[in-house]
């Protein structure tokens, strides 16, 4: 650690940020600059303001004092003469003299190492832990020890510019006695400590960004609408009023839905922790789980409800339901956060876009990718929202889609969020609800030691509920491959039928075998999201020629689709065919069959057929899950989707893949115990973030000019070169993107089918995009990214 002079404190003004003139350059009038330390009690400096905000955010973590000193010390290096001179000469009004996290290039003197060294010197055991937060507040949480020059251990020995005299004069270098401590739970393992540090890092980063923004961009701060959010009691009142409109249940299905709702309300009184909600498709679990969440939050002093889902189609569907429900409380109440957002949508107000940075909302709807990758990230922008997870009710919808290769780290994160102290007090005060029709067998047992303990099922009698909501008969056609020609003939014999296959290539081939009679439809990820949405039709008023219009009016409708249609797409067919896949995928396919129970009213059931496809099932996860299902289907032939069958499937599937449940060794980034002082430097945040990737990007995004709006946006993109304008356009173009393998993208570039505009791949051949099949560049060979998980 670099020694600092211990001279008599010398007082002189020090600044955190310069002011901005109308032309965007720094204002030379220092009276307008933001002071680093408090000038008067009525005018707090940047350090004091960040300390107060961080403490407020971290109070939900039981770590207010811990975060307060992280905030007070995070910019101590700005007291150096070198930094103050840099501010005076900087051309960037937002200059803060730290490495740019996007480029890694230094923008001025290092100012974060000073606070890290000060914390480490203040307490030899606890100080280095606080140093992680301070050292990483710009570039990201570092590894404690590695071969690089950016790890914490090296930075604590780094020679830096003197700063201590001016900090002491400002009263910002005092060391508290006793030194603040993380909660006791954090010391139980390296992962638990890393988890706590990441959440408290979130409080620091959010506080730093908000205070800097308030000074640099007051209009942006005003647009955030940071006033208190509506009370959860108001949300519950609106939900109760909506549910009351349904009246007494008069049909078997509605009586079953009412029983689900009653069970959710009854379970809400239980202490926070882990819950499961196992409800078959059509059981009303969306509103029932919301009823549980709001009642549970109100009873236990929680602050928000977070829905985590695997597919953007479900997110958009649920968010629309919630926005409609809570519309009287304001358009910004429900925050939708995922990568496929349409920035031009009415609900994407400036305040909503800003709230997505730190999840300042009562109801948040997001993806597995955003949720779990943030929980294992080291980047300030990704971690910034994490402190909002404390004192929240988190609904993991479609919990069976947790990625098997990252299952153990995911479960460890859920375990930490719901952890309790030895005397039973909640550490972070959160509850998790594993909500699905096919509950994965992720509880701890002898053959699955990494499972969760203490999961409480909300539905008291699952077998009866599933029997009451039975609308589909699932028939396994056996393991003899069904030729495509025979399959197409079967499909053509049904006026309305859905067939779901495993690859885009199979979907296209099968579609072309159907009669071209105007009743055939094709859906796959070779079609951009806007194209698929157009073909499906608006859920409320579908236009003629769309799938939903045909179904609503009883017209012939034969759909060949990949598994993307299982992702919460609300369609209802009397007959469904599903190529062999995991039992959870088969259940999702069956959820598109007799979805509304109309056949039950005639004393009939929907029919779902599972078939062995003619082509071999792609290797990897899909084949592994299909092999597990192939073993379970004959054993549970009477009801392959019963809770007993599903549990048997997941037990077999996870047992087979137990060694792969942390395939990237994410948990190895943290020591199992913190028994020695040197173990404190064994936390490898950077490595963890690099290893935890739900979506491995072996694919490239190609922008396609689909429809009038797509053509206009592509033309605008081709004429745009400014990075900020390109980024804004890129967000608007998300719904016009198709993912293809990187090798296929390179080949398309070489053939001139695709052009590279700056960093964007844009389709340049209109003939390569089919109104029926989407992007047609080359023969597909591998398993495609049919949105098993979306960002």
């Amino acid at each position: 650690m670099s020694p600092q002079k211990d001279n008599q404190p010398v007082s002189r003004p020090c600044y955190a940020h310069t002011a901005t003139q109308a032309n965007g350059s720094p204002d030379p009038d220092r009276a307008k600059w933001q002071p680093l330390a408090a000038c008067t009690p009525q005018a707090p400096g940047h350090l004091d303001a960040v300390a107060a905000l961080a403490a407020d955010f971290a109070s939900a973590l039981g770590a207010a004092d811990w975060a307060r000193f992280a905030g007070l010390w995070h910019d101590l290096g700005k007291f150096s003469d070198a930094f103050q001179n840099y501010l005076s000469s900087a051309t960037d009004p937002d200059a803060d003299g730290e490495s740019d996290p996007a480029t890694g290039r230094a923008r001025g003197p290092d100012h974060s190492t000073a606070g890290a060294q000060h914390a480490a010197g203040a307490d030899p055991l606890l100080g280095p832990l606080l140093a992680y937060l301070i050292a990483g507040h710009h570039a990201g949480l570092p590894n404690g020890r590695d071969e690089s020059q950016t790890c914490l251990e090296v930075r604590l020995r780094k020679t830096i510019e003197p700063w201590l005299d001016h900090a002491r004069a400002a009263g910002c270098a005092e060391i508290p006695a006793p030194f603040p401590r993380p909660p006791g739970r954090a010391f139980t393992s390296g992962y638990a400590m890393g988890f706590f540090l990441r959440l408290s890092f979130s409080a620091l980063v959010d506080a730093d960004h908000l205070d800097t923004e308030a000074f640099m961009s007051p209009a942006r701060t005003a647009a955030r609408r940071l006033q208190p959010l509506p009370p959860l009691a108001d949300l519950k009142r609106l939900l109760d009023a909506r549910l009351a409109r349904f009246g007494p249940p008069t049909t078997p299905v509605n009586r079953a839905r009412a029983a689900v709702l009653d069970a959710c309300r009854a379970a809400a009184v239980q202490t926070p922790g882990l819950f499961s909600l196992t409800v078959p498709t059509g059981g009303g679990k969306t509103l029932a789980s919301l009823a549980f969440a709001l009642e549970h939050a109100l009873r236990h002093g929680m602050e928000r409800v977070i829905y985590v889902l695997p597919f953007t189609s479900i997110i958009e569907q649920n968010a629309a339901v919630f926005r409609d429900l809570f519309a009287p409380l304001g358009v910004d109440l429900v925050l939708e956060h995922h990568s496929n957002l349409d920035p031009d949508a009415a609900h994407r107000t400036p305040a909503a876009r800003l709230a997505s940075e730190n999840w300042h909302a009562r109801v948040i709807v997001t993806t597995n990718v955003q949720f779990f990758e943030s929980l294992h990230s080291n980047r300030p922008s990704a971690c910034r929202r994490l402190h909002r997870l404390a004192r929240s009710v988190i609904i993991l919808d479609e919990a069976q889609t947790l990625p098997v290769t990252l299952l153990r780290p995911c479960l460890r994160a859920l375990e930490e969020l719901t952890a309790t102290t030895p005397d039973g007090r909640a550490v972070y005060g959160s509850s998790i609800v594993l909500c699905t029709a096919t509950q994965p067998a992720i509880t701890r047992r002898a053959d699955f030691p990494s499972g969760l303990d203490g999961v409480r099922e909300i539905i008291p009698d699952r077998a009866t509920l599933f029997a009451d909501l039975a609308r589909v008969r699932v028939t396994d056609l056996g393991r003899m491959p069904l030729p495509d020609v025979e399959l197409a003939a079967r499909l053509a014999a049904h006026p309305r039928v859905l067939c779901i296959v495993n690859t885009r290539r199979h979907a296209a081939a099968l579609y072309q075998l159907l009669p071209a009679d105007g009743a055939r439809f094709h859906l796959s990820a070779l079609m951009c999201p806007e194209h698929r949405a157009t073909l499906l039709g608006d859920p409320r008023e579908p236009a003629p020629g769309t799938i939903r219009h045909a179904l609503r009016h009883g017209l012939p409708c034969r759909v060949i689709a990949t598994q993307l249609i299982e992702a919460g797409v609300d369609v209802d067919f009397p007959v469904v065919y599903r190529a062999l896949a995991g039992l959870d995928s088969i259940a999702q396919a069956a959820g598109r069959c007799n979805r509304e129970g109309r056949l039950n009213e005639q004393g009939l059931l929907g029919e779902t057929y599972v078939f062995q496809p003619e082509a071999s099932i792609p290797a990897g996860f899909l084949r592994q899950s299909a092999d597990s299902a192939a073993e379970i289907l004959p054993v549970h032939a009477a009801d392959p989707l019963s809770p007993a069958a599903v549990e048997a499937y997941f037990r077999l599937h996870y047992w087979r893949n137990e060694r792969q449940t942390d395939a990237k060794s994410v948990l190895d980034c943290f020591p199992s115990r913190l028994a020695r002082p040197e173990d404190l430097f064994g936390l490898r945040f950077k490595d963890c973030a690099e290893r935890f990737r739900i979506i491995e990007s072996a694919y490239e995004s190609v922008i396609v000019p689909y429809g009038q709006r797509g053509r206009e946006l592509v033309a605008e993109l081709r004429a745009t070169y400014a990075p900020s304008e390109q980024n804004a356009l890129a967000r608007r173009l998300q719904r016009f993107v198709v993912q293809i393998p990187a090798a296929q993208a390179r080949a398309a570039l070489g053939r001139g089918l695709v052009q590279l505009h700056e960093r964007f791949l844009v389709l340049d051949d209109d003939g390569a995009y089919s109104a029926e099949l989407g992007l047609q560049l080359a023969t597909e060979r591998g398993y495609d990214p049919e949105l098993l998980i979306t960002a």
Side-chain angles (χ1 to χ4, degrees):
M1 186 181 306
S2 175
Q4 296 289 323
K5 296 182 296 182
D6 192 13
N7 298 334
Q8 194 68 19
V10 178
S11 179
R12 68 103 195 254
C14 290
Y15 302 95
H17 302 98
T18 61
T20 309
Q21 298 185 100
N23 63 5
S25 63
D27 194 317
D29 183 358
R30 297 194 177 197
K32 298 178 182 177
W33 291 14
Q34 184 183 32
L36 187 55
C39 301
T40 67
Q42 290 74 35
H46 177 62
L47 297 182
D48 307 277
V50 172
L53 268 176
D56 180 46
F57 292 153
S59 62
L61 314 176
D65 286 342
W66 177 263
R68 179 178 294 108
F69 280 94
L72 192 62
W73 293 347
H74 80 288
D75 275 355
L76 286 180
K78 290 187 176 182
F79 280 109
S80 71
D81 290 336
F83 185 86
Q84 293 302 308
N85 293 336
Y86 165 73
L87 272 188
S88 300
S89 60
T91 58
D92 177 8
D94 194 22
D96 50 26
E98 197 75 16
S99 296
D100 186 333
T103 66
R105 294 192 297 269
R107 298 188 297 194
D110 170 4
H111 70 264
S112 61
T113 299
Q117 291 183 355
H118 186 63
D123 188 292
L125 294 178
L126 301 175
L129 296 172
L130 192 63
Y132 277 103
L133 280 58
I134 297 169
H137 79 272
H138 280 292
L141 286 166
N143 287 341
R145 180 186 294 118
D146 60 25
E147 300 300 318
S148 74
Q149 295 299 303
T150 59
C151 72
L152 183 64
E153 190 174 53
V154 170
R155 289 184 65 180
L156 294 184
R157 298 195 301 264
K158 179 181 177 181
T159 300
I160 59 175
E161 296 289 339
W163 58 270
L164 185 57
D165 292 345
H166 296 304
R168 280 182 172 160
C172 293
E174 288 84 354
I175 296 173
F179 198 84
R181 289 180 60 87
R185 166 75 186 186
F187 291 94
T188 58
S189 70
Y191 186 89
M193 179 60 74
F195 192 89
F196 164 75
L197 292 179
R198 198 178 283 107
L199 264 62
S200 52
F201 176 67
S202 163
L204 169 64
V205 168
D206 195 21
D208 187 26
H209 277 78
L210 288 175
D211 185 67
T212 300
E213 178 185 273
F215 176 76
M216 300 298 306
S217 306
R220 185 178 169 93
T221 295
R224 283 187 184 276
R225 303 180 188 171
L226 287 173
Q227 69 267 29
L229 297 168
L232 285 174
D234 289 355
L235 278 69
K236 183 178 182 299
R237 174 177 51 80
L238 289 173
L239 175 61
D240 288 345
R242 173 68 60 87
L243 293 171
R245 289 186 207 166
F246 296 143
T250 57
T251 67
V253 168
N254 285 339
R255 282 193 289 273
R257 289 172 176 169
V260 170
L261 177 61
D262 290 344
C264 285
R265 284 172 164 163
V269 303
Q270 297 184 46
T271 56
L274 283 162
F275 297 86
S276 59
L277 176 59
T278 310
V279 177
T281 302
K285 70 180 188 304
T286 299
L287 291 183
S289 63
L290 181 61
F292 168 87
L294 292 176
E295 179 69 26
H296 190 65
L298 284 167
R299 284 180 174 271
H300 300 288
M302 297 172 170
E303 298 178 1
R304 65 192 56 80
V305 177
I306 302 173
Y307 273 81
V308 182
L309 306 107
F311 315 113
T312 53
S313 55
I314 309 178
I315 288 174
E316 291 164 352
Q317 183 175 294
N318 283 12
V321 170
F322 298 153
R323 272 194 299 273
D324 178 64
L325 177 61
F326 300 130
L329 299 178
V331 70
D332 297 327
L333 183 75
V334 178
L335 174 63
E336 189 178 340
H337 186 205
H338 56 86
S339 65
N340 203 30
L341 279 172
D342 180 357
D344 297 330
H347 62 272
R348 289 295 288 169
T349 64
R353 285 192 287 272
L354 292 170
S356 67
E357 297 174 352
N358 67 348
W359 285 3
H360 179 69
R362 281 294 186 215
V363 178
I364 298 145
V365 190
T366 189
T367 61
N368 285 349
V369 173
Q370 296 284 353
F371 183 77
F372 285 108
E373 287 195 355
S374 293
L375 278 170
H376 294 87
S377 180
N378 72 325
R379 294 183 297 111
S381 59
C383 292
R384 182 177 173 184
R385 61 188 75 104
L386 292 180
H387 66 90
R388 305 287 188 190
L389 301 183
R391 294 212 291 257
S392 295
V393 183
I394 301 165
I395 310 290
L396 280 179
D397 205 355
E398 306 298 346
Q400 78 282 355
T401 61
L402 293 177
V404 172
T405 56
L406 292 167
L407 186 61
R408 284 178 58 210
C410 289
L411 297 184
R412 282 301 309 273
L414 302 183
E415 187 176 53
E416 290 303 319
L417 278 170
T418 56
T420 57
T421 61
D423 61 355
R425 289 181 294 109
V427 177
Y428 301 116
S430 298
S431 281
I432 307 283
V433 182
L434 304 169
C435 187
T436 177
T438 51
Q439 198 64 243
I442 54 177
T443 54
R444 186 167 297 167
R445 54 187 186 274
D447 62 342
F448 192 59
S450 53
L452 296 171
D453 268 336
V455 181
R456 292 161 285 175
E457 172 59 48
I458 290 174
I459 301 300
D461 186 352
R462 292 186 298 167
T464 298
L465 177 66
F466 273 68
D468 290 344
L469 286 172
R471 288 165 299 175
V472 179
R473 178 169 38 243
V474 177
T475 302
D476 179 20
L477 299 180
R479 301 288 71 80
M480 181 69 70
L482 182 62
D484 284 352
V485 172
E486 183 180 336
L487 175 58
R490 281 175 171 255
L491 299 176
H494 296 286
R496 286 173 295 284
V497 62
L498 167 65
C499 180
I500 304 173
V501 295
N502 293 321
T503 68
R504 298 185 288 194
R505 181 173 58 173
H506 192 192
L510 195 56
Y511 169 82
Q512 291 169 329
L513 289 174
L514 288 178
D517 56 2
R520 65 176 184 173
F521 298 87
H522 166 272
L523 286 172
S524 83
L526 283 174
M527 307 159 82
C528 68
E530 187 72 14
H531 189 176
R532 299 197 303 262
T534 300
L535 196 59
L536 276 165
D538 184 273
R540 294 182 179 179
E541 296 184 13
T546 64
I547 293 171
R548 287 191 171 109
H549 182 271
L551 292 174
R552 182 169 296 182
H553 294 276
L555 303 175
C557 178
R558 302 177 188 93
V559 177
I560 310 297
T562 52
Q563 56 265 45
L564 62 80
I565 202 168
E566 297 168 355
V569 178
D570 193 358
V571 290
D572 188 354
F573 287 83
V575 180
V576 170
Y577 280 74
R578 182 54 166 102
L580 182 65
L583 200 60
D584 52 329
S585 294
I586 294 170
Q588 288 293 330
R592 313 308 123 196
C593 184
N594 193 23
R595 186 177 181 85
E596 301 302 324
R598 295 189 181 95
L599 292 174
N600 293 63
E601 297 170 6
Q602 306 169 37
L604 303 173
L605 292 175
E607 298 288 351
T608 294
Y609 298 97
V610 180
F611 66 93
Q612 184 80 33
E614 183 178 56
S616 62
I617 297 173
F621 172 77
L622 186 60
R623 185 179 297 173
Q624 292 167 6
S625 55
D627 287 346
S628 296
E631 288 193 34
I632 296 299
L633 285 168
V635 179
H636 294 270
D639 188 359
L641 302 184
S642 67
V646 170
E647 182 174 354
Y649 164 77
F650 278 110
R651 279 178 176 264
L652 174 63
H653 190 47
Y654 289 155
W655 174 78
R656 277 182 167 167
N657 294 282
E658 170 68 19
R659 293 183 179 179
Q660 294 297 311
T661 53
D662 186 15
K664 301 172 188 177
S665 302
V666 172
L667 297 180
D668 290 347
C669 294
F670 303 95
S672 57
R673 295 190 304 160
L674 298 174
R676 305 163 301 170
E678 54 265 35
D679 292 338
L680 301 178
F681 291 93
L683 309 179
R684 292 183 285 142
F685 292 100
K686 184 172 180 290
D687 290 351
C688 173
E690 291 171 352
R691 295 179 186 185
F692 194 101
R693 289 283 187 273
I694 292 179
I695 298 177
E696 294 289 357
S697 185
Y699 286 77
E700 297 286 350
S701 298
V702 175
I703 298 169
V704 296
Y706 170 77
Q708 182 64 29
R709 184 170 178 237
R711 289 190 291 272
E712 291 172 355
L713 288 172
V714 167
E716 191 175 346
L717 178 68
R718 292 185 190 278
T720 302
Y721 292 89
S724 60
E725 295 177 13
Q726 286 181 346
N727 290 339
L729 266 173
R731 288 190 291 271
R732 296 168 66 192
L733 281 161
Q734 281 293 325
R735 294 187 62 78
F736 299 88
V737 164
V738 174
Q739 300 282 333
I740 63 173
Q744 195 178 103
R746 290 192 295 270
L749 270 170
R751 294 162 56 199
L753 300 176
V754 170
Q755 282 191 347
L756 184 64
H757 176 74
E758 299 292 298
R759 64 186 189 277
F760 302 100
L761 291 174
V762 182
L763 183 66
D764 197 46
D765 184 346
D766 289 345
Y769 194 87
S770 163
E772 294 179 278
L773 299 175
L775 190 61
Q776 300 296 296
L777 295 177
T779 301
E780 177 203 3
R781 294 185 179 179
Y783 179 55
D784 55 278
E786 291 293 353
L787 303 186
L788 282 174
I789 300 291
T790 52

